[in-house]
Amino acid sequence: MKKWKLFTLIFISFLTVFLIVTVYKTLTIASKQPDGQITEATVNKNEAVEHLSEAVTYKTISYQDRAKMEFSEFDRFVDFLERAYPSVHEELQLEKINDYGLMYQWKGKDNGKQPIGLTSHYDVVPVLDGTEGNWEQEPFSGTVIDDKIWGRGTLDDKIGVIGILQALEYLLKEGYEPERDMYFMFGFDEEIGGDLGAKAMADTLKDRGIQFEYVLDEGGAIVEDMVPGVQSPVGVVGISEKGSATAELSIEGSGGHSSQPKSQTNIGRIARAITKLEDTQFPADLKGPGEDLFEYVAPEMSFGMRYIFSNKWIFEPVIERVLLQEPASAALIRTTIAPTIFQAGEQYNALPEKASAVINLRLMPGDSLQDVKTFIEETIEDDSIKVEVEGSEATKVSSVEGEPFQKVQQAAKNVYNDAVIAPYLMFAGSDAKHYDSVSDNTYRFLPVQITSEDLNRMHGTNEHISIDNYLNAIKFYIEIIKESNR
Ligand SMILES: [Zn+2]
């Protein structure tokens, strides 16, 4: 046999084996979705709509400067809850932490079982001065028009508070009794860090030795056309939250006259450092929650994409390169670098004696603040630049194995039967992190279907929700309480 013939034969054999193995893996990858058992809950639409609409009218606004917060509005909101949910206030124990952190306890039949917590917050972000006129409906009107409810908090996150309370009132009227203790915790300062609300409630529970099986907070939602290769809507449940760090790079030294500059000026050095960081970037790695996301969605993908994602062992570098092309997916697989402030110079003909820059970094679970500092110092290779890093580490990663995650997944499937429910990594912060100290797992999921426009509306203009979506959220909370007590 001629040499080239032998090579061809070997090559074809390899290719055949490769194809058989990879196609086999693609065809046998098992779905990680439970069958939805369509919810039978029927929600009183008019009452539910009235309640969310009224909830929006209370201006429970959080300001960075706490002195600006109008607590009379918070008082009125709490009074409204007592009026609107009589059964809840009769049957459950309400405890107020720091006056406005609302902690409801629903006693279960078996207190030997670990409790479960649902949480959300009723403070909202302000409407930016000068943007009020851009709203189609007044931001605190709670206007109901064309099957939509309008206003601040309809998505973030009065829908969570009202959705949970509607579910509770419904279950109480049905005569439902939970097997285990349930806690419902509503924060009042989530938008400014949650220290007096969620954190204080978690600290109180910790002092009492309470440890949840899981806590569910706001977070991911049902999205469409955001996960490549998946036709169906995807419900993403946050299982961890990225850390957030601020790095300050600063340099001080002689300035001088701009007519005789040194070859390296302070501005030049800081600028070079930032350029180096942007050119280098943290290494990308499809691991942790990002990897979990694709493990859950891969079986539901069209064949081509499923082929790639079922064979990560060989295609991982390709997948990572593709994910790095879009900022949203790049953020899923690496710690991100965003220079946000650059300061230097006052006069056009004087070299500044100081220059500094601030970089906001969002940390992958596994990259610590110390790792960030080391990475910056090693990348910029300039000892004259001082690097200071502060901020918060990524949260722990909650489990997707076992019952707790399955319960969240099942409850979501019972309402959104055609959606794929998958874990993912949250980029933004929420109250959930405060509950890490008292919970084996913390999940982050807002049970509504949202678009990318909705995401912009959450802290922006024209925040609203469709009534259908809101009713589904209530049904989800009914289902999650039932699933948690099976
Ligand atoms: Zn929120």
Side-chain angles (χ1 to χ4, degrees):
M1 200 190 295
K2 281 198 178 129
K3 228 178 179 180
W4 66 268
K5 267 194 171 171
L6 183 67
F7 277 133
T8 311
L9 201 66
I10 292 174
F11 177 73
I12 289 173
S13 318
F14 266 119
L15 191 66
T16 311
V17 171
F18 176 80
L19 281 174
I20 289 173
V21 170
T22 51
V23 170
Y24 178 79
K25 274 187 171 280
T26 310
L27 294 176
T28 54
I29 187 170
S31 174
K32 285 174 170 286
Q33 301 301 309
D35 289 334
Q37 282 137 22
I38 309 296
T39 179
E40 282 164 8
T42 47
V43 177
N44 180 337
K45 177 175 160 182
N46 288 345
E47 186 205 86
V49 170
E50 263 170 42
H51 285 164
L52 182 59
S53 159
E54 181 169 350
V56 169
T57 62
Y58 302 100
K59 294 184 177 170
T60 50
I61 304 170
S62 267
Y63 294 98
Q64 286 303 336
D65 175 5
R66 284 185 188 255
K68 283 173 75 183
M69 286 168 78
E70 277 185 55
F71 283 103
S72 59
E73 292 287 325
F74 289 71
D75 284 319
R76 290 175 60 231
F77 181 80
V78 175
D79 288 346
F80 150 70
L81 295 187
E82 283 174 23
R83 255 183 291 124
Y85 302 102
S87 309
V88 171
H89 288 85
E90 203 166 293
E91 304 284 332
L92 276 64
Q93 247 174 298
L94 168 61
E95 205 177 334
K96 294 176 183 166
I97 307 294
N98 287 328
D99 299 329
Y100 298 101
L102 308 179
M103 193 159 83
Y104 293 85
Q105 187 190 1
W106 196 6
K107 284 243 174 255
K109 287 184 261 183
D110 179 359
N111 60 8
K113 286 188 176 158
Q114 259 187 297
I116 281 164
L118 304 185
T119 177
S120 47
H121 63 92
Y122 65 95
D123 61 315
V124 296
V125 292
V127 173
L128 282 185
D129 279 343
T131 65
E132 298 90 341
N134 301 339
W135 284 68
E136 279 176 48
Q137 306 293 334
E138 293 264 314
F140 292 96
S141 62
T143 302
V144 181
I145 191 168
D146 297 335
D147 293 322
K148 293 185 188 87
I149 309 168
W150 286 75
R152 222 2 139 233
T154 47
L155 285 167
D156 184 14
D157 185 21
K158 281 179 174 165
I159 184 174
V161 177
I162 300 300
I164 290 169
L165 288 169
Q166 287 292 140
L168 284 175
E169 196 73 13
Y170 170 89
L171 288 167
L172 286 164
K173 285 191 176 134
E174 223 190 19
Y176 183 84
E177 289 177 73
E179 285 298 318
R180 53 171 80 207
D181 283 7
M182 304 280 304
Y183 285 80
F184 307 95
M185 297 143 315
F186 304 135
F188 68 98
D189 60 348
E190 189 271 351
E191 300 292 358
I192 50 173
D195 283 350
L196 296 185
K199 181 165 188 311
M201 288 192 274
D203 288 347
T204 306
L205 294 163
K206 194 179 170 76
D207 286 345
R208 293 178 190 166
I210 286 164
Q211 180 72 15
F212 292 102
E213 185 177 281
Y214 72 86
V215 167
L216 177 75
D217 190 18
E218 64 175 337
I222 313 260
V223 295
E224 253 175 301
D225 303 325
M226 288 195 208
V227 183
V230 188
Q231 301 295 311
S232 10
V234 180
V236 287
V237 179
I239 57 168
S240 178
E241 208 174 273
K242 276 184 127 178
S244 177
T246 306
E248 187 175 11
L249 276 52
S250 60
I251 187 165
E252 268 187 67
S254 56
H257 197 277
S258 61
S259 60
Q260 308 161 46
K262 287 173 286 185
S263 58
Q264 289 213 331
T265 60
N266 288 342
I267 287 183
R269 295 185 98 124
I270 295 286
R272 193 169 305 119
I274 291 191
T275 308
K276 276 187 174 174
L277 287 168
E278 287 191 336
D279 287 348
T280 309
Q281 299 286 351
F282 279 82
D285 191 1
L286 184 57
K287 59 175 182 183
E291 185 178 22
D292 289 337
L293 168 65
F294 287 106
E295 256 166 41
Y296 275 71
V297 296
E300 322 301 327
M301 287 174 160
S302 50
F303 185 83
M305 294 291 276
R306 183 152 39 105
Y307 179 75
I308 305 276
F309 280 91
S310 308
N311 292 284
K312 221 163 44 189
W313 56 285
I314 184 113
F315 293 121
E316 188 166 330
V318 181
I319 295 171
E320 284 167 359
R321 214 169 310 144
V322 172
L323 293 177
L324 285 179
Q325 283 170 6
E326 291 293 327
S329 48
L332 198 63
I333 57 170
R334 74 175 172 207
T335 292
T336 53
I337 299 171
T340 48
I341 301 174
F342 197 110
Q343 273 174 330
E346 276 165 46
Q347 200 179 308
Y348 82 93
N349 60 356
L351 289 163
E353 291 195 9
K354 284 186 196 168
S356 68
V358 170
I359 303 169
N360 184 239
L361 301 107
R362 299 301 170 102
L363 280 55
M364 288 287 282
D367 285 349
S368 69
L369 293 169
Q370 184 56 49
D371 293 338
V372 164
K373 189 166 191 280
T374 308
F375 173 83
I376 293 175
E377 284 169 347
E378 285 176 358
T379 306
I380 65 177
E381 293 178 294
D382 188 339
D383 291 339
S384 54
I385 295 178
K386 195 163 113 196
V387 178
E388 283 170 296
V389 176
E390 55 179 44
S392 54
E393 310 272 2
T395 67
K396 72 178 176 192
V397 179
S398 294
S399 171
V400 289
E401 307 298 330
E403 276 192 17
F405 184 77
Q406 281 168 17
K407 285 170 186 166
V408 177
Q409 213 190 4
Q410 182 70 56
K413 280 295 259 190
N414 293 353
V415 180
Y416 298 97
N417 195 35
D418 58 349
V420 177
I421 312 298
Y424 92 120
L425 177 63
M426 284 256 299
F427 306 153
S430 81
D431 269 346
K433 59 180 167 290
H434 297 305
Y435 293 99
D436 271 345
S437 63
V438 285
S439 189
D440 298 352
N441 300 286
T442 43
Y443 300 116
R444 300 152 173 85
F445 179 62
L446 187 70
V448 295
Q449 197 151 13
I450 60 168
T451 62
S452 45
E453 289 96 65
D454 290 326
L455 282 175
N456 296 329
R457 290 183 187 122
M458 273 198 186
H459 282 201
T461 299
N462 283 328
E463 185 175 345
H464 66 262
I465 180 118
S466 76
I467 291 175
D468 278 347
N469 230 338
Y470 163 51
L471 298 181
N472 281 338
I474 299 170
K475 288 179 188 169
F476 168 83
Y477 290 119
I478 294 171
E479 290 297 313
I480 189 86
I481 292 170
K482 288 190 169 176
E483 287 299 332
S484 300
N485 288 286
R486 273 194 220 289

